[in-house]
Amino acid sequence: MDTATHVVMGLGLAGLSFVDPVVSSNPSIAGAVMLATILGSQAPDADTALRLKDNALYIRNHRGITHSLPFLIIWPALLTLVITPFFGIVNLQAIGHVALWSFIAVAIHVFSDLFNTYGTQAARPFTEKWIAWNIIHIFDPFIFGSHAAAIILWISDMIPPAPLFITLYVCITLYYIWRTVAHHRVTKSIKIKDVRHHINDRYIVIPTISPRRWNIVKAKIDGSYDVGQLINGHLKWIKHAISSTHPAVEHSKSHPDIQAFLYFTSYAVAEVEELPSGYIVRWGDVRYLHRKQFPFVAVLVMDNQYHPLNTYVGWLSSDKLDEKFAIESSS
């Protein structure tokens, strides 16, 4: 999920923690647990700091080891060790409850990220496979809005936190079940709706911010993709994409930034622009279609001997890419 949603989920878990008698009966423990759930809901995304060093490094590692099985224990342990002394908590039972709610916050962060298209490497160290269930959009208005409403009711003293947040998380659980069932039904229906369906075609159904609209990627046996949308049950194909066979594409795969991009996604296509001075290879992830463009890209500028000159990895429109590499294009 996005950062704002993880923040409100951290606050929501702080409210839910009042079902725990040890928490609800002691203001110091309640304060420690609140800080632990807020930080625990953000801790797995600490790898965002890698962006300050290198965008490709960030993309390769984001939602990787920090979301792995060992870190389900490491994050709560670190948070507990830091937070409990700050609140003067020395009782082992109280420390255990802070650790428990820290673990719950971290685990829910990782688990909720599995429902997005980005996915996580939550099964490390057993496998580095990216696990993405494609069920919930990275920002879901219902999840964020329901949490925000519950938090307002809580801080306004309109409803006690325990029954309020029990109700909230029952509703959230039912919502996740409903979206999972909806995703399964849509996936089953695509083959019927697609008049150009081939027995070897594979479909990826991707959620959007609207529950009535899904992005559809059809992976074809020839390595190409058809990308479209399902809106209110109507399927429309928007773009056909296939990687160029230009030698520059193969040379680009040896560059670390392109390797980082391809490590993250298995749904990439490349196109080549030939220049008097060399080539621009643009890799795009077909899962993220916006206005007939793939804004999640890895771009490599090379000279005529395929030596790298400039790179970019991240989110950028085609217009912004053209602007960014205008110097290379005109040289």
Side-chain angles (χ1 to χ4, degrees):
M1 309 301 290
D2 69 307
T3 300
T5 301
H6 283 309
V7 169
V8 296
M9 291 179 76
L11 287 167
L13 291 173
L16 183 65
S17 71
F18 279 82
V19 302
D20 183 342
V22 174
V23 175
S24 60
S25 63
N26 190 307
S28 294
I29 298 175
V33 166
M34 175 178 286
L35 185 58
T37 57
I38 292 172
L39 294 180
S41 292
Q42 296 295 324
D45 284 343
D47 53 18
T48 301
L50 293 173
R51 181 177 283 169
L52 299 174
K53 182 177 181 181
D54 182 79
N55 211 32
L57 182 66
Y58 161 74
I59 287 172
R60 184 181 182 93
N61 291 281
H62 183 48
R63 294 191 176 191
I65 192 170
T66 59
H67 288 63
S68 66
L69 292 173
F71 272 82
L72 289 178
I73 303 300
I74 293 172
W75 288 126
L78 290 174
L79 290 171
T80 303
L81 287 172
V82 172
I83 292 172
T84 50
F86 182 78
F87 284 85
I89 298 173
V90 295
N91 180 275
L92 288 179
Q93 182 189 32
I95 292 172
H97 283 259
V98 175
L100 171 64
W101 286 100
S102 298
F103 171 79
I104 291 172
V106 172
I108 287 180
H109 176 122
V110 175
F111 184 66
S112 62
D113 279 352
L114 291 172
F115 285 82
N116 304 149
T117 302
Y118 292 95
T120 75
Q121 291 181 318
R124 289 179 70 170
F126 300 106
T127 175
E128 293 189 8
K129 178 182 178 181
W130 292 94
I131 304 171
W133 293 337
N134 298 318
I135 292 171
I136 303 288
H137 191 261
I138 190 170
F139 176 81
D140 187 285
F142 175 77
I143 295 173
F144 180 85
S146 60
H147 274 86
I151 291 166
I152 291 171
L153 291 173
W154 177 26
I155 63 178
S156 301
D157 287 329
M158 297 181 67
I159 302 177
L164 173 63
F165 287 97
I166 288 174
T167 303
L168 170 66
Y169 282 105
V170 167
C171 293
I172 293 292
T173 300
L174 293 174
Y175 178 72
Y176 268 79
I177 293 172
W178 171 64
R179 289 304 303 263
T180 300
V181 171
H183 180 270
H184 177 70
R185 288 177 175 173
V186 169
T187 302
K188 286 185 65 176
S189 71
I190 290 298
K191 292 181 181 180
I192 299 173
K193 295 179 183 294
D194 184 13
V195 296
R196 297 179 295 177
H197 168 69
H198 186 275
I199 190 171
N200 292 314
D201 291 340
R202 184 168 57 90
Y203 297 88
I204 302 97
V205 177
I206 300 170
T208 69
I209 200 167
S210 169
R212 294 181 175 271
R213 186 173 71 247
W214 301 81
N215 290 336
I216 311 296
V217 175
K218 179 167 69 173
K220 307 178 78 171
I221 194 169
D222 63 355
S224 67
Y225 299 94
D226 286 336
V227 186
Q229 289 186 329
L230 183 73
I231 303 176
N232 294 321
H234 300 288
L235 178 63
K236 179 182 179 181
W237 295 112
I238 299 172
K239 190 178 183 70
H240 179 74
I242 188 169
S243 282
S244 168
T245 58
H246 194 285
V249 172
E250 196 62 32
H251 280 84
S252 73
K253 293 179 183 178
S254 63
H255 194 280
D257 288 3
I258 304 301
Q259 290 174 353
F261 184 81
L262 297 179
Y263 175 74
F264 174 77
T265 178
S266 301
Y267 304 97
V269 294
E271 59 181 21
V272 178
E273 179 182 350
E274 295 192 28
L275 308 172
S277 58
Y279 313 95
I280 297 179
V281 181
R282 295 183 178 92
W283 287 91
D285 191 325
V286 299
R287 295 176 299 174
Y288 307 110
L289 180 69
H290 180 67
R291 296 180 180 177
K292 298 184 180 182
Q293 299 177 3
F294 302 128
F296 183 45
V297 296
V299 183
L300 178 63
V301 180
M302 297 181 285
D303 63 20
N304 287 313
Q305 286 72 47
Y306 306 112
H307 298 135
L309 300 175
N310 197 0
T311 63
Y312 175 82
V313 181
W315 294 88
L316 211 59
S317 68
S318 291
D319 292 340
K320 291 295 183 181
L321 277 175
D322 291 340
E323 180 181 332
K324 182 176 181 64
F325 295 109
I327 296 177
E328 285 80 3
S329 300
S330 60
S331 59

